[in-house]
Amino acid sequence: MSIELYKDAQHACVTFTDLVPDEEAVQANQFLIVDHGEGVILDPGGNMTYNELSLTMRKYIAPNKLDYILASHADPDIIASLDRWMTGSQAKLVISALWARFAPHFCKLGKTDRRVIAVPDAGGRLRFGQTQLWLLPAHFMHAEGNFQFYDPVSKILFSGDLGVSLLSGAQAGHVITSLDPMPHGMEAFHRRYMVSNKILKLWVRMVRQLDIALIAPQHGAPLAGAAIGQLLDWLDNLPCGIDLMGPGQYQIPTTDLAV
């Protein structure tokens, strides 16, 4: 099912929250942005999402009309379906320069030739339709080369693995407006997957400059209203990643694995 996060006469932002069976794999959101008849897809996911996504998105734009496939990083739940998108569209892949030569491993030989745009660490602005997407540096949250995508028309920040909660596909379709109580899995996820509080503080300082109506993560529900400020305040002071590591996490293992 598609859910419209924003829509006007010429611009639409759509999310797909329930294409991954909850019992089979981690829930993941896919996003489509269409402006004046041109489209980009954000983090299209793995092979289990491809068929339904390519069919459902036709309500807004045909897959062969896509301009770009944007990948926040190179995890399987982000772009494992890349080979099929390279076959079913003429879109170019936009991904961090750190991952530009790794992503072709998802494809048959030659599929990505002259179709990969390697984004420098500083990010940039990508024009499509009559607007731009801002590619914001989000390195080490959680990938070494990582970007988030800000749409200045809808004022949505597509935040990748930042702002994640661990919910079902159905639950992920409902906007969260307060982090009191904190959504399921949010605290544990950020403490493990974010590299350090230093990185979070730098990110918070950057995004406070944006006019944000909605934060749409790649897992879990979007955040709006008071939840946006609450998230930023919380992350600004959150110990995580290497902040929490010590000798206890680096011991010779003695436990047999069950087989």
Side-chain angles (χ1 to χ4, degrees):
M1 183 178 71
S2 60
I3 300 171
E4 293 178 353
L5 300 176
Y6 175 90
K7 193 172 191 303
D8 64 29
Q10 299 295 342
H11 192 89
C13 299
V14 184
T15 184
F16 307 83
T17 68
D18 59 356
L19 302 187
V20 178
D22 292 329
E23 67 278 5
E24 290 191 31
V26 65
Q27 184 273 337
N29 303 319
Q30 299 78 43
F31 302 99
L32 172 70
I33 307 177
V34 178
D35 187 85
H36 289 84
E38 297 184 23
V40 301
I41 197 162
L42 314 181
D43 293 346
N47 283 311
M48 64 176 62
T49 68
Y50 176 80
N51 287 338
E52 189 65 28
L53 180 57
S54 62
L55 288 173
T56 307
M57 66 182 285
R58 292 173 189 272
K59 176 181 176 182
Y60 300 93
I61 192 171
N64 62 6
K65 298 295 185 181
L66 286 175
D67 292 288
Y68 301 108
I69 296 164
L70 277 69
S72 56
H73 55 291
D75 279 0
D77 60 315
I78 300 292
I79 53 163
S81 59
L82 183 62
D83 184 76
R84 302 183 74 178
W85 288 104
M86 291 287 102
T87 300
S89 78
Q90 296 301 310
K92 292 184 177 181
L93 173 67
V94 181
I95 194 168
S96 165
L98 290 183
W99 299 119
R101 295 184 65 205
F102 290 84
H105 283 276
F106 286 115
C107 299
K108 297 179 181 66
L109 187 64
K111 280 283 186 72
T112 58
D113 286 354
R114 296 178 296 280
R115 293 178 66 185
V116 178
I117 298 174
V119 183
D121 279 351
R125 301 190 179 192
L126 182 71
R127 179 166 293 282
F128 81 103
Q130 296 183 24
T131 188
Q132 294 177 324
L133 281 182
W134 300 4
L135 279 58
L136 304 177
H139 309 306
F140 298 102
M141 298 189 299
H142 63 102
E144 301 91 325
N146 196 62
F147 287 95
Q148 297 171 350
F149 311 114
Y150 177 70
D151 174 18
V153 177
S154 64
K155 300 180 182 179
I156 297 175
L157 174 62
F158 297 93
S159 60
D161 283 304
L162 210 289
V164 160
S165 51
L166 302 181
L167 306 175
S168 70
Q171 292 170 326
H174 300 281
V175 176
I176 293 172
T177 57
S178 174
L179 298 189
D180 184 19
M182 185 162 284
H184 174 69
M186 179 176 279
E187 181 170 357
F189 182 93
H190 286 80
R191 287 191 184 277
R192 181 56 190 253
Y193 282 90
M194 302 297 109
V195 74
S196 72
N197 182 248
K198 174 184 176 180
I199 296 299
L200 291 181
K201 284 184 179 297
L202 293 171
W203 178 84
V204 168
R205 184 175 67 178
M206 175 183 68
V207 300
R208 285 196 193 276
Q209 303 172 64
L210 299 172
D211 183 7
I212 300 174
L214 191 78
I215 293 178
Q218 196 241 342
H219 304 285
L223 309 177
I228 293 175
Q230 291 169 341
L231 178 72
L232 299 185
D233 291 343
W234 176 66
L235 292 173
D236 205 22
N237 296 288
L238 181 70
C240 58
I242 62 173
D243 303 331
L244 307 177
M245 294 291 109
Q249 284 75 42
Y250 295 87
Q251 301 284 332
I252 302 298
T254 59
T255 302
D256 293 335
L257 297 178
V259 294

